Amino acid sequence: MLWISLVCYLLPILLVNSEHHRIKRESANIPNTSPQDQLSQEVADKCFNPGPCDSKAKYRTIDGSCNNLQFPMWGMTNTAAIRLRPAVYSDGKKLPRKSKDGQELPNARILRDKLIKDQVLPDDTRYWNLVISWGQFISHDTAHSVPKGDGISCCSKDGKVLEAFSDVCMPILVPKTDAFYSKFGVECIDMVRTKTTDDIGCPLTPVQQVIDLTHFIDASPVYGSNK
């Protein structure tokens, strides 16, 4: 079983490296970043500056800092990850996205109730629990956002709204026609917004979500990500 474990661990790394080289090849045809993008990168470097690096250090750092001597903060804990696609905040900075006509987007719970029906499926003969476990392990190794504050609740324990939409709360309101939650009188599903660069005094526009793990596949669930 050792070779299976090695394949499972190395395969994602090989895929990531392959994708990195593909993007690098394609980037030759992509125009240079805009002055705003360059300014945002400069601000980010200042906001997350880890301090001087020891270029002769024998081991890599546990928090990911200085693993890249040219860009010491890249991949470091408690920094912002780079977006694959531009943010689409309604105010250009941090307010949730709206539809093209300026209206609120459809209720998430209604969409889930209408589009995804609960059903009993036969056992899958191709995939098994290891796929789920490995996916969770990789996910928890590279990305983990944190809420804006400790102990914050936007909904009460019995499912009532405590705080409507705010800078901290964005609860999912449950319609009375909900196929499941209406049976229990639940009107609110708790959702606290994640910490962003705005919360740590870093003036980036639009805001970026802060990740409290290293951004590398480096077994953070095993070894941790803090000094």
Side-chain angles (χ1 to χ4, degrees):
M1 296 298 291
L2 178 60
W3 68 272
I4 297 179
S5 300
L6 290 174
V7 169
C8 289
Y9 189 79
L10 291 175
L11 182 58
I13 299 176
L14 294 175
L15 291 175
V16 168
N17 286 336
S18 175
E19 181 68 5
H20 169 75
H21 289 302
R22 182 189 67 79
I23 293 174
K24 187 175 182 180
R25 289 194 303 270
E26 294 180 355
S27 65
N29 299 320
I30 298 176
N32 291 330
T33 55
S34 67
Q36 178 60 38
D37 291 335
Q38 295 174 5
L39 176 61
S40 294
Q41 184 60 56
E42 291 174 3
V43 172
D45 288 342
K46 293 179 181 178
C47 290
F48 306 118
N49 189 350
C53 297
D54 181 5
S55 61
K56 297 181 180 179
K58 185 177 181 180
Y59 303 105
R60 294 169 59 139
T61 59
I62 193 70
D63 67 352
S65 62
C66 297
N67 286 345
N68 183 325
L69 294 178
Q70 186 176 0
F71 303 101
M73 50 76 63
W74 283 12
M76 188 174 71
T77 59
N78 294 308
T79 58
I82 297 175
R83 295 179 182 274
L84 295 178
R85 298 287 297 169
V88 193
Y89 290 111
S90 60
D91 65 343
K93 183 178 181 180
K94 62 180 180 180
L95 293 182
R97 181 178 181 173
K98 293 186 177 181
S99 62
K100 290 183 178 180
D101 62 2
Q103 300 297 314
E104 299 293 333
L105 292 177
N107 181 287
R109 183 61 195 171
I110 293 178
L111 290 179
R112 189 273 178 216
D113 210 19
K114 296 294 185 182
L115 300 179
I116 305 176
K117 300 298 183 181
D118 293 331
Q119 54 184 320
V120 178
L121 298 175
D123 292 338
D124 198 306
T125 58
R126 296 170 299 170
Y127 307 113
W128 48 308
N129 288 344
L130 179 60
V131 175
I132 300 174
S133 300
W134 182 249
Q136 285 288 289
F137 185 85
I138 293 298
S139 173
H140 294 170
D141 192 2
T142 57
H144 181 260
S145 57
V146 292
K148 282 181 175 286
D150 296 328
I152 296 176
S153 294
C154 306
C155 305
S156 63
K157 292 182 179 180
D158 60 351
K160 307 302 179 184
V161 178
L162 291 178
E163 184 176 346
F165 174 77
S166 67
D167 187 52
V168 176
C169 285
M170 197 164 68
I172 300 173
L173 302 181
V174 179
K176 294 181 179 180
T177 56
D178 190 273
F180 178 77
Y181 286 110
S182 61
K183 302 175 184 178
F184 309 100
V186 174
E187 302 173 358
C188 174
I189 299 176
D190 203 17
M191 192 171 92
V192 179
R193 301 191 71 182
T194 56
K195 182 184 293 186
T196 68
T197 48
D198 203 38
D199 297 308
I200 59 176
C202 185
L204 290 179
T205 301
V207 298
Q208 307 289 348
Q209 276 62 43
V210 174
I211 308 298
D212 71 342
L213 298 176
T214 60
H215 307 180
F216 309 102
I217 299 178
D218 57 1
S220 292
V222 178
Y223 302 107
S225 293
N226 299 309
K227 291 182 178 179

